[in-house]
Amino acid sequence: MSEDFEPEVPDNDDIVGVAVKGSIALFVVVALIIGGWLIFRPKEEEQQVNNDVETELPDVREVADLEIPEMPFTDVTESAGVDFVHQNGAAGLKLLPETMGGGGAFVDFDNDGDPDIVCVNSCAWPDGKADGAAPVSALYENDGNGNFTNVTAGSGLDVTFYGAGIACGDFDNDGLIDLYFTAVGENRLFRNQGGGKFADVTEQAGVAGEEQEWGTSCGWFDFDRDGDLDLFVCNYIEWTPEKDLSMEFTLDGTLRAYGRPTDFRGASPRLYRNDGAGKFTDVSADAGVRILNRDTAEPLSKSLGVIFPDINGDGWLDVVIANDTVQNLMLINQKDGTFMEMGVACGVAFNNKGKARGAMGIDAAYFRNSDAIGITIGNFANEMTALYVCQTPGSDTPLFRDEAVSNGVGPVTRVQLTFGVLFADMDNDGRLDIVGCNGHLEEDISVVQESQQYEQPAQLLWNCGMEYDNEFTVAPAEKTGADFARRMVGRGASIADMDGDGDLDLLLFASGGRPHLLRNDQQIGHHWLRLHLEDSKGNRDAIGAVVRLTLPDDTVLTRAVAPTCSYQSQREFVLTFGLGAADSIKSASVTWPDGETTDLEVDDVDRLLKVAR
């Protein structure tokens, strides 16, 4: 084509005129065709309509009577000896990390058989003002009855840094639980030396990360099935105080607000392979966990929550990441040291409208007592908590669907800003409930949104079974007690049977405040069984093992040893099975992390059963 050629462009009025004439002609042709069909169509037999017979309409959907049980929780934080106060360093600058902290764990650090507590602390910024002594994380020893003593001083954990999340695991298989803390800045690994003493071995192990990184949730799991625990660390965003302060974030044009993650670049997670002898190698790039944005080639992840379920049932642990304002990730283990990202293909990347949400905490469980695993994710205010349910159990490419709306989870969680979420059977009826720990980012949020409050109550979504209109329903305050419903700036959440009575107690962490230690005082009378696994052929605490109990009515309860959960937090290793009215076990088995299966003889219930191989 000649470079001098210029196509003739008709005037707009000419285009409209031609279009109108064409439309009229088309209308006339269509009208003639329809009219001819109406005139010459074949005659049909006349149908008789009996107007005397009323159309039967269905009554209101028949469902079983729903009676939510009494599940009162008592706040024993102070009386149990937990005096921790989270320090976020807030001094008016409104720097984003100030409102994202608040994690911790139930963990048996002293190996005496009862869960102790670790609370992760932050600190004042370099240019902030600290009141009194420099803040440190806290270690509390349990006396076995749910009474705690602060044993932080002299433990080696009494150091100051801007902590965020925690992972508890015996990385050297010496029989003692070690502690890893993420932070704004370099992370910390403390090796448990016994006798309540910990040593900082971060540098020798090679797991500090970079000084400019912001670590969030983290966890131990054996991704290569070589018998020792590897370490996965989420990073949130590329953040500096200078960049944060340079942006004019406001709520109403005048009130300074915390920044949005959309205004910062993402940051990739890290996967550290355990090489033995206390050494780790960063295999993030080779393993395929550093996912890039296809359009910008920048890190995609803005990670706040992580779990390690076996998504496709092949015996290898996968990774699911809750990302803030960008798609969630599902990293399927390829059994060769690598992962394939399949979040979109598997249906967990976005909501049902194909949009990313402000995802925070995360957990997974077989909440329907079937082979279908479910994943719950806490999301930002005015975004429902997600409940992704596997539609194709056992498939190499499992397909999930968010059933939060149809199952009753979505509508009742839409308003809250949910950080910590976890599955737990709070009434021991054999069905896993969902606990949400809620709280906003902004102290002044009610000024611009009347429906929002900075402090928010926790929620217990009671699993009433699929025979009801909604599978989950909110347990009201008259059932859970005023202490459970007391407002807080909630962040992480953890569960354990801290007093040995067979039901699960709650520990809800806060940003810039006190945690809530809630003792479960339900007296329903349901039976229970707790199992503590110990593995001499793999990682000592059998992370990744799966226990299946078959009840007399052939109901199968499936639980995995998966302590990493919620938001920047971890639950105890011991598995708690609520049995409802069942006072015996028909059969039981353990599938260990290496795939070997052990059948168990369970003679009685309402006790702790230790299982070792």
Side-chain angles (χ1 to χ4, degrees), residues 527-543:
H527 296 289
W528 53 272
L529 182 69
R530 285 170 48 81
L531 284 89
H532 182 191
L533 307 185
E534 187 171 321
D535 190 3
S536 63
K537 298 181 180 179
N539 74 86
R540 183 186 70 100
D541 292 294
I543 293 176

Side-chain angles (χ1 to χ4, degrees), residues 96-129:
L96 187 53
E98 296 169 2
T99 195
M100 302 298 286
F106 273 119
V107 59
D108 184 8
F109 82 90
D110 53 3
N111 250 1
D112 64 354
D114 51 53
D116 309 300
I117 291 175
V118 182
C119 299
V120 183
N121 214 347
S122 304
C123 62
W125 296 108
D127 53 353
K129 296 181 179 179

Side-chain angles (χ1 to χ4, degrees), residues 266-323:
S268 293
R270 291 183 180 271
L271 174 60
Y272 295 100
R273 185 188 65 214
N274 190 337
D275 296 329
K279 304 290 185 180
F280 292 80
T281 299
D282 187 339
V283 296
S284 309
D286 292 340
V289 303
R290 291 182 171 270
I291 310 301
L292 301 181
N293 185 306
R294 294 181 179 179
D295 297 326
T296 64
E298 295 178 352
L300 172 65
S301 299
K302 296 180 180 182
S303 306
L304 290 177
V306 65
I307 51 174
F308 311 111
D310 179 6
I311 289 297
N312 52 12
D314 63 358
W316 293 71
L317 296 182
D318 309 300
V319 182
V320 186
I321 299 174
N323 279 323

Side-chain angles (χ1 to χ4, degrees), residues 466-513:
M466 295 187 68
E467 65 269 25
Y468 292 94
D469 192 19
N470 288 325
E471 192 171 355
F472 289 88
T473 188
V474 174
E478 56 265 27
K479 298 293 184 178
T480 60
D483 286 350
F484 181 89
R486 189 157 52 90
R487 293 176 178 270
M488 66 185 300
V489 187
R491 294 296 183 259
S494 182
I495 51 171
D497 180 8
M498 67 178 182
D499 49 8
D501 63 354
D503 56 29
L504 290 169
D505 309 295
L506 281 169
L507 181 56
L508 306 180
F509 298 97
S511 172

Side-chain angles (χ1 to χ4, degrees), residues 21 26 40 42 103 175 223 278 300 334-335 374 451 459 516 528 607 610:
K21 292 176 182 178
L26 178 61
F40 297 106
F223 84 93
L300 172 65
Q334 302 300 293
K335 311 176 191 178
S451 64
Q459 286 181 301
H516 290 183
W528 53 272
R607 69 186 184 99
K610 294 185 178 181

Side-chain angles (χ1 to χ4, degrees), residues 38-249:
L38 290 172
I39 294 172
F40 297 106
R41 77 186 190 277
K43 296 292 184 180
E44 296 180 353
E45 293 185 7
E46 186 176 359
Q47 296 185 1
Q48 298 295 324
V49 179
N50 185 356
N51 292 322
D52 297 330
V53 178
E54 295 184 1
T55 303
E56 290 189 13
L57 298 176
D59 295 329
V60 176
R61 178 179 174 183
E62 292 185 6
V63 296
D65 292 334
L66 178 60
E67 183 177 349
I68 300 174
E70 300 280 345
M71 295 174 284
F73 290 85
T74 302
D75 190 330
V76 296
T77 314
E78 184 176 351
S79 62
V82 178
D83 56 358
F84 177 77
V85 180
H86 179 258
Q87 304 293 330
N88 59 14
L93 297 178
K94 288 287 183 97
L95 298 174
L96 187 53
E98 296 169 2
T99 195
M100 302 298 286
F106 273 119
V107 59
D108 184 8
F109 82 90
D110 53 3
N111 250 1
D112 64 354
D114 51 53
D116 309 300
I117 291 175
V118 182
C119 299
V120 183
N121 214 347
S122 304
C123 62
W125 296 108
D127 53 353
K129 296 181 179 179
D131 295 328
V136 298
S137 296
L139 179 67
Y140 292 93
E141 184 178 15
N142 190 345
D143 68 355
N145 298 309
N147 301 305
F148 295 87
T149 301
N150 192 326
V151 293
T152 312
S155 67
L157 301 178
D158 46 349
V159 294
T160 300
F161 57 95
Y162 205 95
I166 188 170
C168 312
D170 184 2
F171 77 84
D172 51 5
N173 278 337
D174 66 350
L176 297 169
I177 300 296
D178 311 297
L179 305 179
Y180 183 83
F181 294 82
T182 57
V184 178
E186 293 186 349
N187 305 317
R188 311 290 180 96
L189 174 59
F190 293 91
R191 181 177 177 271
N192 192 336
Q193 297 180 306
K197 304 294 183 182
F198 291 82
D200 189 334
V201 296
T202 313
E203 185 175 353
Q204 305 94 292
V207 292
E210 300 296 332
E211 187 175 356
Q212 70 274 14
E213 288 181 330
W214 175 354
T216 55
S217 290
C218 53
W220 298 98
F221 75 131
D222 184 5
F223 84 93
D224 50 7
R225 289 193 13 168
D226 64 351
D228 53 31
L229 291 176
D230 311 296
L231 178 64
F232 194 95
V233 181
C234 290
N235 288 310
Y236 187 30
I237 54 176
E238 290 187 6
W239 180 89
T240 63
E242 293 76 20
K243 183 174 182 178
D244 199 333
L245 291 171
S246 70
M247 299 183 186
E248 297 182 358
F249 300 117

Side-chain angles (χ1 to χ4, degrees), residues 561-578:
V561 181
T564 301
C565 66
S566 182
Y567 172 76
Q568 299 186 152
S569 301
Q570 181 166 316
R571 62 181 149 227
E572 66 174 342
F573 291 104
V574 179
L575 299 177
T576 296
F577 289 82

